[in-house]
């Protein structure tokens, strides 16, 4: 089980605000998942998603850079300061554990296998963040444009995309447990990892994309300066659960609305397409 953190640059500025939410992980047996929408009418479930998949099979199905335009997809950075297993995550309210596990990159339930990737908006798709002049040679307007460009490049949304596979009705039970947790933990909870407590003051259901056999979206607000918000969506595709967990660096700027972003729809669409 790996412990993963948001890619640099930019993460350091957020760690002190939302340390637990920056943890992302699990690429061995373990998992990531969430829940929501009613099942589709019984019928066709993709053959790949309908069975219990191995880690190797999930590796072939998880999205890559070539699958989604405007994003770079790769492994997440590791950091020793974060929890390496679910056992290291302590939650003050037992029923809120599934939500806490999603925020730390671990599975709300027990999976047979899991893999993940970190996806970030491709800075090359935006204006160049590298000024063409030395600072001392810039006009005030050119300097402002350069700073805005750097902010754009570093302030993109970062998303952990994870796939996990379950035996029997494990995927459905996992979805159900997280749905119950979200409903029951609206008033928040406290999670502790590496002896560092993080209080979350609000958990709210959001409108999901509707992908998969059932899906759920939710937002979690941290009880810290600025009340930063992170977003997640999870969809079940047969026995496979796709988890999307997003945080926007730009949303933590003083002049930004911290709730003014979502899990990128392009990532959800691309991953759902690969799952059939």
């Amino acid at each position: 089980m790996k412990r993963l953190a948001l890619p640099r640059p930019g993460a350091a500025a957020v760690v002190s605000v939302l340390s637990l939410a920056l943890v992302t992980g699990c690429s061995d047996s373990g998992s990531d998942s969430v829940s929501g929408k009613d099942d589709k009418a019984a019928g066709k479930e993709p053959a790949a998603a309908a069975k219990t998949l191995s880690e190797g099979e999930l590796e072939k199905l998880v999205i890559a850079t070539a699958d989604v335009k405007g994003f770079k997809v790769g492994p997440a950075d590791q950091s020793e300061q974060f929890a390496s297993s679910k056992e290291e995550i302590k939650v003050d309210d037992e029923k809120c554990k599934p939500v806490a596990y999603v925020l730390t990159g671990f599975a709300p339930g027990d999976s047979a296998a899991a893999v993940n990737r970190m996806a970030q908006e491709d800075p090359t798709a935006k204006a160049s963040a590298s000024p063409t002049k030395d600072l001392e040679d810039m006009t005030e307007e050119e300097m402002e444009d350069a700073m805005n460009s750097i902010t754009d490049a570093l302030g993109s949304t970062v998303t952990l995309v994870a796939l996990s596979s379950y035996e029997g009705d494990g995927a459905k039970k996992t979805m159900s447990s997280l749905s119950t947790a979200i409903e029951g933990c609206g008033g928040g909870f406290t999670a502790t990892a590496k002896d560092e407590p993080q209080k979350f003051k609000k958990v709210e259901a959001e409108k999901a994309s509707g992908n998969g056999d059932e899906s759920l979206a939710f937002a979690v607000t941290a009880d810290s300066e600025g009340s930063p918000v992170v977003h997640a969506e999870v969809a079940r595709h047969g026995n496979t659960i796709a988890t999307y967990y997003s945080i926007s660096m730009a949303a933590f700027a003083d002049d930004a609305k911290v709730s003014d972003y979502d899990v990128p729809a392009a990532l959800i669409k691309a991953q759902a397409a690969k799952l059939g």
Side-chain angles (χ1 to χ4, degrees), residues 1 28 33 37 64 67 94 103 121 127 130 134 144 155 158 163 166 178 184 186-187 210 220 226 238 257-258 270:
M1 192 78 71
D28 301 314
S33 37
K37 207 181 82 173
D67 299 317
E94 187 78 15
L103 296 185
E121 291 175 88
S130 300
D134 292 333
E144 183 177 352
V158 181
L163 299 182
Y166 299 77
L178 186 60
V220 180
K257 294 181 179 180
V258 296

Side-chain angles (χ1 to χ4, degrees), residues 71 119-123 126 150-159 247-251:
F71 288 82
Q120 185 168 16
E121 291 175 88
D122 187 352
K126 299 186 175 187
I150 291 171
T151 299
D152 286 343
L154 301 185
S156 59
T157 298
V158 181
T159 303
I247 184 168
S248 171
M249 298 304 182

Side-chain angles (χ1 to χ4, degrees), residues 138-192:
M138 288 185 181
T139 65
E140 184 175 338
E141 184 178 354
E142 287 173 333
M143 187 174 295
E144 183 177 352
D145 288 343
M147 292 305 296
N148 287 337
S149 182
I150 291 171
T151 299
D152 286 343
L154 301 185
S156 59
T157 298
V158 181
T159 303
L160 173 72
V161 181
L163 299 182
S164 52
S165 186
Y166 299 77
E167 297 178 345
D169 61 354
K172 290 183 178 180
K173 286 183 176 180
T174 295
M175 298 290 280
S176 178
S177 68
L178 186 60
S179 179
T180 298
I182 292 169
E183 291 176 6
C185 301
F189 62 93
T190 299
T192 302

Side-chain angles (χ1 to χ4, degrees), residues 71-83:
F71 288 82
K72 286 190 174 181
V73 181
D77 292 341
Q78 294 183 346
S79 174
E80 294 296 332
Q81 74 186 95
F82 296 125

Side-chain angles (χ1 to χ4, degrees), residues 225-243:
E225 185 177 356
S227 299
V229 178
V230 295
H231 298 270
E233 175 160 345
V234 177
R236 181 178 68 81
H237 301 257
N239 283 355
T240 297
I241 289 178
T243 302

